[in-house]
Amino acid sequence: MTKPQKMAAKATENAAKATAPVQNKRAAVLSAALGLFSRFGLHGTSVDQVAARAGVSKSNLLYYFANKEELYVCVLRELLEVWLAPLREFSAEQDPQQAITDYIRRKLVVSRDSPDASRLFCLEMIQGAPLLKGELAGELRGIVEHKSAVIQGWIDAGRLAKVDPEHLIFMIWATTQHYADFAVQVQALTGKTLADPAFFEQTVANVQAVVLKGVGVR
Amino acid sequence: MTKPQKMAAKATENAAKATAPVQNKRAAVLSAALGLFSRFGLHGTSVDQVAARAGVSKSNLLYYFANKEELYVCVLRELLEVWLAPLREFSAEQDPQQAITDYIRRKLVVSRDSPDASRLFCLEMIQGAPLLKGELAGELRGIVEHKSAVIQGWIDAGRLAKVDPEHLIFMIWATTQHYADFAVQVQALTGKTLADPAFFEQTVANVQAVVLKGVGVR
DNA sequence: GTCTATAACGAGATAGAC
DNA sequence: GTCTATCTCGTTATAGAC
């Protein structure tokens, strides 16, 4: 088995049977790569920089990842799960007000705790999502259609005001991700970051308040 | 006067006394550059690509702009005005509901007609706004503080619900720019773009409805 | 002002010793 | 698995003729 084949196999198997130290190295590289790619993009980041940040040599990095693009794709793959997780939990069994309240908080927690993931996702979208277009049209679309139907059900039952469910979802995504993607702007204008607990709670409360009132039936 | 000096002078004078054909070329290059930088970033775009798109040779382009970074900065400078214009019009003399209604529409018009500008602005923010930080802390901050005071005045007068003005402004920015920056995602999930007149009006109506109701006093 | 040719450099990727 | 050395290519930027 040649090296690239081994690597490809490892990637598809989710690296199930690799040894622990190898996993640590891969994880370190992926984490370093996320941090840099999310700020400077694929072309704005050199393999050298990623290697340095991860504490490995460039050629060693290229032993684990066949080339820069493969590394980038691996990072994106991990990313998508982080990004999708909060949406999956959005449930039809809950009270609509509570479901929206919880969803907004979960998304803001991601913006606070994984701003890198949010930013790289945004970067990818801006560039036309060359590598995520497939997932968008497939998995994400399925989930969104399902959640939209749930929201539409609430509206038909008179539990929410008449809004287009997809626009409501976009609005929640936009307002919550804004605090990660435009963190510099938020900081320049308010002096605060989501890392500040008081500001975080204030943000959660404001977004929840406007959205809930905006779609409320009362 | 050496070439770089001439160029720098031309840039600062706003190219007031340059001849028309020269202006056309500069404009063509700037426009081509905006289109490419906004998709692929500074490092993802080559001078060659910009030149080709603008219909000039690479070395000719480098006659007008001393180097790639200067070109990038020129593009950003133009950008900021496009981005700020709708906010400047946000007026204290209007009825609050009307002011917010109009502002949302204006921002969505920009998202529809200048998605490149919106995307490049977003790219710059994601990267930490190395070149716009100054403007953010200065001019933008001043305008935002002023507009926030206006909103606070409306709240104190009981004409709007109690919201933090800055979060309201962020919410409007986020929801409206989303349709430009995440256009691929919006298209993948709805099949539509703001270029579609019906979808545009539907978007305007939805955003206005939720925000207005969300901050309304009734 | 515009062109062709080319210098100079950075960065991705590979070869091969250990 | 990890390293050093090196090849190769794309890209920026300049030199200099017209």
Side-chain angles (χ1 to χ4, degrees), chain A residues 31 34-36 38-39 53 79 114-121:
Chain A
S31 162
L34 174 61
L36 290 164
S38 71
R39 275 234 173 277
R53 192 188 240 211
L79 182 68
S114 313
D116 289 358
S118 185
R119 280 202 313 266
L120 184 53
F121 189 82

Side-chain angles (χ1 to χ4, degrees), chain A residues 105-116:
Chain A
R105 177 174 286 271
R106 275 198 304 274
K107 286 292 282 180
L108 280 169
V109 166
V110 172
S111 285
R112 180 194 61 192
D113 297 343
S114 313
D116 289 358

